[in-house]
Amino acid sequence: MKFKFTFLLLFVLGYGFAQNNKTENLVMISLDGYRWQELFKGADPVLIFDKKFRNQDSAAFFKKYWDVNEKVRREKLMPFFWNTLVNKGQLYGNRDLGNKVSLRNDYWFSYPGRSETLCGFYDPKINSNDYPNNPNENVLEFINKQKGYEGKVVTFASWGAVSRIVNRDRNGMLVNIPGEEVKEKDLSESQVLANEIQHYLPEYFGKSIRFDVHTYALTKSYIQQNHPKVVYIDFGDTDELAHAGQYDSYLDAAHYLDAMIGSLWNTMQQDPFYKGKTTFVIYPDHGRGLGDKWTSHGKSAPHSDETWLVVLGPDSPVLGEVKSSNHIYQDQFAQTFAHLLGFDFKANHPVGEPVKGVVKK
């Protein structure tokens, strides 16, 4: 009897935790290597005026992104973030205010950063972008096993390595990467077009990378046709253009990603399946260096461990730009994602604690 009572109590408590959450759908968006400096301060005055880092030299370009006031600059660069996401959600990571978000891992580049974020765990063995399939279980496959979420967790990525990071060979989830078309029984016209157009631009950064606009088109058309409950979108233009030393194009990439995210949010809020029941979380996988080292990340580029986090949804109090002194780490994100849906993420490894304040108690 004691065992039955304990089991019943745990069931009721767990059920109550899940039912208290209004969030039924989750959209996780990674902006590869996008610095907190641009997000919070707009165009970097050291870089935007350095001719070696830009191809554009027109008055229109500077009018688009430059102002002496950094708050004006940041709104010019990312208007949806600052006019909607921040006003209605939470934004962490302005280190000038003492609000810090950092990587836990010691490598400060792509595979380890994504793995830490999705697994809620820093595995020191994952030390290369060429690392094979990730042995650590991630929050996506955990959610995919929960009642009502089976087969409704999908990933669209601009970088091929994401299939190994999420380990689709192990979990069988839909993970769409460059060069792959969405294959469903009933494709919409927009899905057919999205499948097609990704093959019609040069492989500017190599076969394993596609431009974010293609990832966006494939993702949005899939959402409209199939209504998945959890979507992970992995964008990469900001990192690739930064490595290329093209600061003007890096700013353009951030600006267009802001617009794409805004369009996706507005579209989903007009759909009864998602309206009022969907949370967006947005973050990078790592930061970048400063000055001439802005093109790089990793240990050779100090400050590359500095990141940020945005949350917008029905279960997250409106805090705006969080200005309190605090320090959170990227290995806390996975459990935070799970808690937004009312779950407690368990895996074959330790999992970081959720970020306090993201989910209403």
Side-chain angles (χ1 to χ4, degrees), residues 39-281:
L39 178 59
F40 287 97
K41 297 187 282 189
D44 187 330
V46 173
L47 300 175
I48 195 172
F49 293 110
D50 193 331
K51 291 185 177 181
K52 72 173 179 254
F53 291 132
R54 70 172 195 268
N55 296 315
Q56 303 174 59
D57 202 20
S58 66
F61 169 71
F62 289 101
K63 182 178 179 180
K64 188 175 182 180
Y65 296 128
W66 180 250
D67 193 277
V68 293
N69 186 320
E70 65 183 35
K71 290 186 177 180
V72 175
R73 291 202 304 270
R74 70 188 188 183
E75 289 188 24
K76 283 188 170 193
L77 182 59
M78 304 192 80
F80 177 72
F81 264 69
W82 288 102
N83 295 324
T84 299
L85 286 175
V86 177
N87 286 340
K88 297 180 180 180
Q90 308 177 356
L91 172 59
Y92 301 85
N94 190 340
R95 302 178 93 89
D96 288 345
L97 302 176
N99 193 267
K100 301 178 181 179
V101 185
S102 299
L103 294 172
R104 187 82 71 179
N105 77 76
D106 289 330
Y107 304 116
W108 308 354
F109 58 87
S110 298
Y111 194 132
R114 287 170 170 85
S115 179
E116 176 184 334
T117 304
L118 296 174
C119 299
F121 172 61
Y122 162 37
D123 184 350
K125 295 190 296 295
I126 295 178
N127 59 3
S128 168
N129 283 341
D130 295 323
Y131 197 86
N133 280 337
N134 196 337
N136 302 298
E137 293 172 351
N138 61 71
V139 70
L140 295 169
E141 59 191 330
F142 168 80
I143 296 170
N144 193 56
K145 295 175 183 176
Q146 307 309 308
K147 185 177 180 180
Y149 287 84
E150 304 96 329
K152 297 180 180 179
V153 181
V154 300
T155 296
F156 290 85
S158 295
W159 184 39
V162 171
S163 64
R164 289 181 278 116
I165 297 169
V166 176
N167 199 341
R168 67 180 181 184
D169 290 342
R170 176 179 65 220
N171 51 57
M173 295 188 300
L174 170 60
V175 180
N176 178 274
I177 59 173
E180 295 182 348
E181 298 184 359
V182 173
K183 299 186 183 299
E184 299 282 341
K185 290 182 180 179
D186 299 308
L187 294 178
S188 66
E189 289 185 14
S190 59
Q191 284 183 290
V192 172
L193 180 59
N195 276 339
E196 181 183 0
I197 62 173
Q198 72 167 319
H199 304 299
Y200 294 161
L201 273 181
E203 294 169 350
Y204 193 70
F205 298 113
K207 277 190 171 297
S208 67
I209 296 166
R210 68 181 166 211
F211 285 106
D212 288 337
V213 65
H214 294 147
T215 298
Y216 167 73
L218 288 160
T219 307
K220 186 175 180 180
S221 58
Y222 186 92
I223 289 172
Q224 290 174 312
Q225 180 73 359
N226 299 93
H227 289 91
K229 294 183 72 64
V230 176
V231 182
Y232 168 41
I233 313 171
D234 195 295
F235 289 126
D237 283 358
T238 44
D239 191 63
E240 298 301 333
L241 292 164
H243 282 307
Q246 300 173 18
Y247 191 68
D248 47 359
S249 297
Y250 167 84
L251 294 179
D252 281 340
H255 186 68
Y256 297 139
L257 283 169
D258 174 84
M260 286 188 273
I261 293 168
S263 176
L264 187 60
W265 169 262
N266 291 328
T267 297
M268 294 176 77
Q269 288 303 304
Q270 294 168 12
D271 186 330
F273 184 87
Y274 294 111
K275 184 178 180 180
K277 298 177 287 186
T278 302
T279 292
F280 273 41
V281 286

Side-chain angles (χ1 to χ4, degrees), residues 331-349:
D331 65 354
Q332 297 178 258
F333 290 7
Q335 191 65 273
T336 304
F337 303 155
H339 276 213
L340 282 163
L341 294 171
F343 301 126
D344 189 33
F345 176 32
K346 303 292 185 184
N348 61 350
H349 52 75

Side-chain angles (χ1 to χ4, degrees), residues 310-337:
V310 175
V311 184
L312 172 62
D315 296 301
S316 301
V318 178
L319 303 177
E321 182 181 5
V322 180
K323 299 178 180 179
S324 59
S325 181
N326 192 24
H327 201 161
I328 61 178
Y329 289 88
Q330 205 116 341
D331 65 354
Q332 297 178 258
F333 290 7
Q335 191 65 273
T336 304
F337 303 155

